[in-house]
Amino acid sequence: QVQLVESGGGLVQAGGSLRLSCAASGSIFSINRMSWHRQAPGKQRELVAAITSGNGTNYADSVKGRFTVSRDNAKNAVYLEMNSLKPEDTALYYCNAIVMTKPPYSTSYWGKGTLVTVSS
């Protein structure tokens, strides 16, 4: 089994910054894609940012230029640096990882989420 634990959420004023962290643990052979998603009240979960094992990245249009995703493969961790936060960034942020536990099989795992609240 694999567990993902997010941290770093909190309450911040508009224009402020937060850094989210997500660490994977358990039976891990390798991790391919890691990503951050968010779900605001009454809305569907959406992709915020993703990073491959080769450090290729992609972002939602709404966060481009403000958010930066990075990873530390040695720690099985992914990070999301969020700057110039807006009230519309308020959501529960989830970490996802595509984990190879036993080659060649991979499974998608989710964390339980960390809440980000941006006040105006």
Side-chain angles (χ1 to χ4, degrees):
Q1 274 287 20
V2 173
Q3 297 79 39
L4 300 181
V5 178
E6 303 101 332
S7 61
L11 173 64
V12 64
Q13 287 189 331
S17 299
L18 282 174
R19 185 175 190 251
L20 305 184
S21 300
C22 172
S25 62
S27 181
I28 298 171
F29 180 82
S30 65
I31 301 179
N32 189 0
R33 181 177 181 261
M34 303 185 82
S35 56
W36 289 96
H37 303 249
R38 66 186 181 187
Q39 187 166 18
K43 295 188 176 181
Q44 288 189 330
R45 189 175 298 189
E46 63 174 355
L47 174 68
V48 175
I51 184 167
T52 67
S53 56
N55 287 324
T57 60
N58 66 284
Y59 296 91
D61 287 342
S62 59
V63 307
K64 281 181 181 177
R66 300 189 298 122
F67 291 11
T68 302
V69 62
S70 61
R71 63 189 286 171
D72 184 334
N73 292 327
K75 296 181 179 180
N76 290 328
V78 63
Y79 308 98
L80 187 67
E81 188 75 34
M82 304 186 295
N83 298 314
S84 302
L85 282 161
K86 305 175 181 180
E88 50 264 43
D89 294 318
T90 294
L92 192 58
Y93 283 71
Y94 296 91
C95 172
N96 176 268
I98 309 300
V99 180
M100 183 177 290
T101 54
K102 183 178 180 181
Y105 305 105
S106 294
T107 303
S108 175
Y109 291 93
W110 290 90
K112 294 183 178 181
T114 185
L115 182 62
V116 172
T117 304
V118 184
S119 63
S120 57

mmCIF file with all atom_site columns, all heavy atoms in Angstrom, residues 93-105:
data_model
loop_
_atom_site.group_PDB
_atom_site.id
_atom_site.type_symbol
_atom_site.label_atom_id
_atom_site.label_alt_id
_atom_site.label_comp_id
_atom_site.label_asym_id
_atom_site.label_entity_id
_atom_site.label_seq_id
_atom_site.pdbx_PDB_ins_code
_atom_site.Cartn_x
_atom_site.Cartn_y
_atom_site.Cartn_z
_atom_site.occupancy
_atom_site.B_iso_or_equiv
_atom_site.pdbx_formal_charge
_atom_site.auth_seq_id
_atom_site.auth_comp_id
_atom_site.auth_asym_id
_atom_site.auth_atom_id
_atom_site.pdbx_PDB_model_num
ATOM 1   N N   . TYR A 1 93  ? -7.040  21.095  -1.571  1.00 0.00 ? 93  TYR A N   1
ATOM 2   C CA  . TYR A 1 93  ? -5.997  20.706  -2.527  1.00 0.00 ? 93  TYR A CA  1
ATOM 3   C C   . TYR A 1 93  ? -5.564  19.267  -2.267  1.00 0.00 ? 93  TYR A C   1
ATOM 4   O O   . TYR A 1 93  ? -5.198  18.917  -1.130  1.00 0.00 ? 93  TYR A O   1
ATOM 5   C CB  . TYR A 1 93  ? -4.803  21.648  -2.420  1.00 0.00 ? 93  TYR A CB  1
ATOM 6   C CG  . TYR A 1 93  ? -5.040  22.975  -3.095  1.00 0.00 ? 93  TYR A CG  1
ATOM 7   C CD1 . TYR A 1 93  ? -5.929  23.900  -2.538  1.00 0.00 ? 93  TYR A CD1 1
ATOM 8   C CD2 . TYR A 1 93  ? -4.410  23.309  -4.286  1.00 0.00 ? 93  TYR A CD2 1
ATOM 9   C CE1 . TYR A 1 93  ? -6.184  25.114  -3.161  1.00 0.00 ? 93  TYR A CE1 1
ATOM 10  C CE2 . TYR A 1 93  ? -4.643  24.525  -4.917  1.00 0.00 ? 93  TYR A CE2 1
ATOM 11  C CZ  . TYR A 1 93  ? -5.538  25.415  -4.347  1.00 0.00 ? 93  TYR A CZ  1
ATOM 12  O OH  . TYR A 1 93  ? -5.781  26.618  -4.976  1.00 0.00 ? 93  TYR A OH  1
ATOM 13  N N   . TYR A 1 94  ? -5.600  18.481  -3.322  1.00 0.00 ? 94  TYR A N   1
ATOM 14  C CA  . TYR A 1 94  ? -5.265  17.061  -3.234  1.00 0.00 ? 94  TYR A CA  1
ATOM 15  C C   . TYR A 1 94  ? -3.997  16.753  -4.022  1.00 0.00 ? 94  TYR A C   1
ATOM 16  O O   . TYR A 1 94  ? -3.777  17.287  -5.108  1.00 0.00 ? 94  TYR A O   1
ATOM 17  C CB  . TYR A 1 94  ? -6.379  16.205  -3.826  1.00 0.00 ? 94  TYR A CB  1
ATOM 18  C CG  . TYR A 1 94  ? -7.700  16.275  -3.109  1.00 0.00 ? 94  TYR A CG  1
ATOM 19  C CD1 . TYR A 1 94  ? -8.669  17.197  -3.476  1.00 0.00 ? 94  TYR A CD1 1
ATOM 20  C CD2 . TYR A 1 94  ? -7.983  15.402  -2.063  1.00 0.00 ? 94  TYR A CD2 1
ATOM 21  C CE1 . TYR A 1 94  ? -9.894  17.250  -2.833  1.00 0.00 ? 94  TYR A CE1 1
ATOM 22  C CE2 . TYR A 1 94  ? -9.207  15.441  -1.411  1.00 0.00 ? 94  TYR A CE2 1
ATOM 23  C CZ  . TYR A 1 94  ? -10.152 16.372  -1.802  1.00 0.00 ? 94  TYR A CZ  1
ATOM 24  O OH  . TYR A 1 94  ? -11.361 16.416  -1.162  1.00 0.00 ? 94  TYR A OH  1
ATOM 25  N N   . CYS A 1 95  ? -3.228  15.839  -3.482  1.00 0.00 ? 95  CYS A N   1
ATOM 26  C CA  . CYS A 1 95  ? -2.051  15.334  -4.157  1.00 0.00 ? 95  CYS A CA  1
ATOM 27  C C   . CYS A 1 95  ? -2.401  13.995  -4.802  1.00 0.00 ? 95  CYS A C   1
ATOM 28  O O   . CYS A 1 95  ? -3.142  13.191  -4.230  1.00 0.00 ? 95  CYS A O   1
ATOM 29  C CB  . CYS A 1 95  ? -0.937  15.155  -3.123  1.00 0.00 ? 95  CYS A CB  1
ATOM 30  S SG  . CYS A 1 95  ? 0.537   14.338  -3.712  1.00 0.00 ? 95  CYS A SG  1
ATOM 31  N N   . ASN A 1 96  ? -1.873  13.765  -5.996  1.00 0.00 ? 96  ASN A N   1
ATOM 32  C CA  . ASN A 1 96  ? -2.053  12.481  -6.686  1.00 0.00 ? 96  ASN A CA  1
ATOM 33  C C   . ASN A 1 96  ? -0.701  11.989  -7.182  1.00 0.00 ? 96  ASN A C   1
ATOM 34  O O   . ASN A 1 96  ? 0.140   12.790  -7.612  1.00 0.00 ? 96  ASN A O   1
ATOM 35  C CB  . ASN A 1 96  ? -2.994  12.643  -7.872  1.00 0.00 ? 96  ASN A CB  1
ATOM 36  C CG  . ASN A 1 96  ? -3.141  11.361  -8.680  1.00 0.00 ? 96  ASN A CG  1
ATOM 37  O OD1 . ASN A 1 96  ? -2.414  11.156  -9.637  1.00 0.00 ? 96  ASN A OD1 1
ATOM 38  N ND2 . ASN A 1 96  ? -4.058  10.511  -8.287  1.00 0.00 ? 96  ASN A ND2 1
ATOM 39  N N   . ALA A 1 97  ? -0.507  10.686  -7.134  1.00 0.00 ? 97  ALA A N   1
ATOM 40  C CA  . ALA A 1 97  ? 0.733   10.100  -7.635  1.00 0.00 ? 97  ALA A CA  1
ATOM 41  C C   . ALA A 1 97  ? 0.426   8.801   -8.379  1.00 0.00 ? 97  ALA A C   1
ATOM 42  O O   . ALA A 1 97  ? -0.404  8.005   -7.917  1.00 0.00 ? 97  ALA A O   1
ATOM 43  C CB  . ALA A 1 97  ? 1.700   9.831   -6.495  1.00 0.00 ? 97  ALA A CB  1
ATOM 44  N N   . ILE A 1 98  ? 1.074   8.626   -9.518  1.00 0.00 ? 98  ILE A N   1
ATOM 45  C CA  . ILE A 1 98  ? 0.992   7.373   -10.267 1.00 0.00 ? 98  ILE A CA  1
ATOM 46  C C   . ILE A 1 98  ? 2.207   6.552   -9.849  1.00 0.00 ? 98  ILE A C   1
ATOM 47  O O   . ILE A 1 98  ? 3.339   6.855   -10.242 1.00 0.00 ? 98  ILE A O   1
ATOM 48  C CB  . ILE A 1 98  ? 0.985   7.620   -11.778 1.00 0.00 ? 98  ILE A CB  1
ATOM 49  C CG1 . ILE A 1 98  ? -0.081  8.653   -12.160 1.00 0.00 ? 98  ILE A CG1 1
ATOM 50  C CG2 . ILE A 1 98  ? 0.766   6.300   -12.517 1.00 0.00 ? 98  ILE A CG2 1
ATOM 51  C CD1 . ILE A 1 98  ? -1.484  8.248   -11.780 1.00 0.00 ? 98  ILE A CD1 1
ATOM 52  N N   . VAL A 1 99  ? 1.949   5.519   -9.060  1.00 0.00 ? 99  VAL A N   1
ATOM 53  C CA  . VAL A 1 99  ? 3.020   4.789   -8.391  1.00 0.00 ? 99  VAL A CA  1
ATOM 54  C C   . VAL A 1 99  ? 3.160   3.388   -8.965  1.00 0.00 ? 99  VAL A C   1
ATOM 55  O O   . VAL A 1 99  ? 2.169   2.656   -9.085  1.00 0.00 ? 99  VAL A O   1
ATOM 56  C CB  . VAL A 1 99  ? 2.763   4.701   -6.883  1.00 0.00 ? 99  VAL A CB  1
ATOM 57  C CG1 . VAL A 1 99  ? 3.892   3.930   -6.202  1.00 0.00 ? 99  VAL A CG1 1
ATOM 58  C CG2 . VAL A 1 99  ? 2.619   6.090   -6.270  1.00 0.00 ? 99  VAL A CG2 1
ATOM 59  N N   . MET A 1 100 ? 4.395   3.045   -9.310  1.00 0.00 ? 100 MET A N   1
ATOM 60  C CA  . MET A 1 100 ? 4.692   1.678   -9.696  1.00 0.00 ? 100 MET A CA  1
ATOM 61  C C   . MET A 1 100 ? 5.119   0.950   -8.424  1.00 0.00 ? 100 MET A C   1
ATOM 62  O O   . MET A 1 100 ? 6.184   1.233   -7.877  1.00 0.00 ? 100 MET A O   1
ATOM 63  C CB  . MET A 1 100 ? 5.780   1.626   -10.760 1.00 0.00 ? 100 MET A CB  1
ATOM 64  C CG  . MET A 1 100 ? 6.072   0.213   -11.259 1.00 0.00 ? 100 MET A CG  1
ATOM 65  S SD  . MET A 1 100 ? 7.302   0.184   -12.572 1.00 0.00 ? 100 MET A SD  1
ATOM 66  C CE  . MET A 1 100 ? 6.378   0.921   -13.921 1.00 0.00 ? 100 MET A CE  1
ATOM 67  N N   . THR A 1 101 ? 4.261   0.047   -7.943  1.00 0.00 ? 101 THR A N   1
ATOM 68  C CA  . THR A 1 101 ? 4.588   -0.707  -6.736  1.00 0.00 ? 101 THR A CA  1
ATOM 69  C C   . THR A 1 101 ? 5.273   -2.023  -7.073  1.00 0.00 ? 101 THR A C   1
ATOM 70  O O   . THR A 1 101 ? 6.138   -2.481  -6.342  1.00 0.00 ? 101 THR A O   1
ATOM 71  C CB  . THR A 1 101 ? 3.320   -0.974  -5.923  1.00 0.00 ? 101 THR A CB  1
ATOM 72  O OG1 . THR A 1 101 ? 2.354   -1.619  -6.773  1.00 0.00 ? 101 THR A OG1 1
ATOM 73  C CG2 . THR A 1 101 ? 2.720   0.315   -5.396  1.00 0.00 ? 101 THR A CG2 1
ATOM 74  N N   . LYS A 1 102 ? 4.844   -2.623  -8.189  1.00 0.00 ? 102 LYS A N   1
ATOM 75  C CA  . LYS A 1 102 ? 5.454   -3.870  -8.644  1.00 0.00 ? 102 LYS A CA  1
ATOM 76  C C   . LYS A 1 102 ? 5.469   -3.845  -10.164 1.00 0.00 ? 102 LYS A C   1
ATOM 77  O O   . LYS A 1 102 ? 4.423   -3.959  -10.794 1.00 0.00 ? 102 LYS A O   1
ATOM 78  C CB  . LYS A 1 102 ? 4.651   -5.063  -8.133  1.00 0.00 ? 102 LYS A CB  1
ATOM 79  C CG  . LYS A 1 102 ? 5.255   -6.413  -8.492  1.00 0.00 ? 102 LYS A CG  1
ATOM 80  C CD  . LYS A 1 102 ? 4.446   -7.559  -7.913  1.00 0.00 ? 102 LYS A CD  1
ATOM 81  C CE  . LYS A 1 102 ? 5.042   -8.901  -8.257  1.00 0.00 ? 102 LYS A CE  1
ATOM 82  N NZ  . LYS A 1 102 ? 4.253   -10.021 -7.714  1.00 0.00 ? 102 LYS A NZ  1
ATOM 83  N N   . PRO A 1 103 ? 6.653   -3.626  -10.765 1.00 0.00 ? 103 PRO A N   1
ATOM 84  C CA  . PRO A 1 103 ? 6.711   -3.521  -12.226 1.00 0.00 ? 103 PRO A CA  1
ATOM 85  C C   . PRO A 1 103 ? 6.033   -4.706  -12.898 1.00 0.00 ? 103 PRO A C   1
ATOM 86  O O   . PRO A 1 103 ? 6.184   -5.854  -12.447 1.00 0.00 ? 103 PRO A O   1
ATOM 87  C CB  . PRO A 1 103 ? 8.219   -3.514  -12.499 1.00 0.00 ? 103 PRO A CB  1
ATOM 88  C CG  . PRO A 1 103 ? 8.828   -3.031  -11.233 1.00 0.00 ? 103 PRO A CG  1
ATOM 89  C CD  . PRO A 1 103 ? 7.956   -3.565  -10.133 1.00 0.00 ? 103 PRO A CD  1
ATOM 90  N N   . PRO A 1 104 ? 5.301   -4.472  -13.998 1.00 0.00 ? 104 PRO A N   1
ATOM 91  C CA  . PRO A 1 104 ? 5.102   -3.172  -14.656 1.00 0.00 ? 104 PRO A CA  1
ATOM 92  C C   . PRO A 1 104 ? 3.813   -2.457  -14.262 1.00 0.00 ? 104 PRO A C   1
ATOM 93  O O   . PRO A 1 104 ? 3.325   -1.607  -14.993 1.00 0.00 ? 104 PRO A O   1
ATOM 94  C CB  . PRO A 1 104 ? 5.023   -3.593  -16.120 1.00 0.00 ? 104 PRO A CB  1
ATOM 95  C CG  . PRO A 1 104 ? 4.264   -4.882  -16.059 1.00 0.00 ? 104 PRO A CG  1
ATOM 96  C CD  . PRO A 1 104 ? 4.724   -5.563  -14.794 1.00 0.00 ? 104 PRO A CD  1
ATOM 97  N N   . TYR A 1 105 ? 3.274   -2.801  -13.105 1.00 0.00 ? 105 TYR A N   1
ATOM 98  C CA  . TYR A 1 105 ? 1.946   -2.294  -12.744 1.00 0.00 ? 105 TYR A CA  1
ATOM 99  C C   . TYR A 1 105 ? 2.036   -0.988  -11.960 1.00 0.00 ? 105 TYR A C   1
ATOM 100 O O   . TYR A 1 105 ? 2.815   -0.870  -11.017 1.00 0.00 ? 105 TYR A O   1
ATOM 101 C CB  . TYR A 1 105 ? 1.196   -3.338  -11.917 1.00 0.00 ? 105 TYR A CB  1
ATOM 102 C CG  . TYR A 1 105 ? 1.100   -4.662  -12.620 1.00 0.00 ? 105 TYR A CG  1
ATOM 103 C CD1 . TYR A 1 105 ? 1.885   -5.745  -12.224 1.00 0.00 ? 105 TYR A CD1 1
ATOM 104 C CD2 . TYR A 1 105 ? 0.270   -4.828  -13.725 1.00 0.00 ? 105 TYR A CD2 1
ATOM 105 C CE1 . TYR A 1 105 ? 1.825   -6.956  -12.883 1.00 0.00 ? 105 TYR A CE1 1
ATOM 106 C CE2 . TYR A 1 105 ? 0.199   -6.037  -14.391 1.00 0.00 ? 105 TYR A CE2 1
ATOM 107 C CZ  . TYR A 1 105 ? 0.984   -7.098  -13.965 1.00 0.00 ? 105 TYR A CZ  1
ATOM 108 O OH  . TYR A 1 105 ? 0.930   -8.299  -14.623 1.00 0.00 ? 105 TYR A OH  1
#
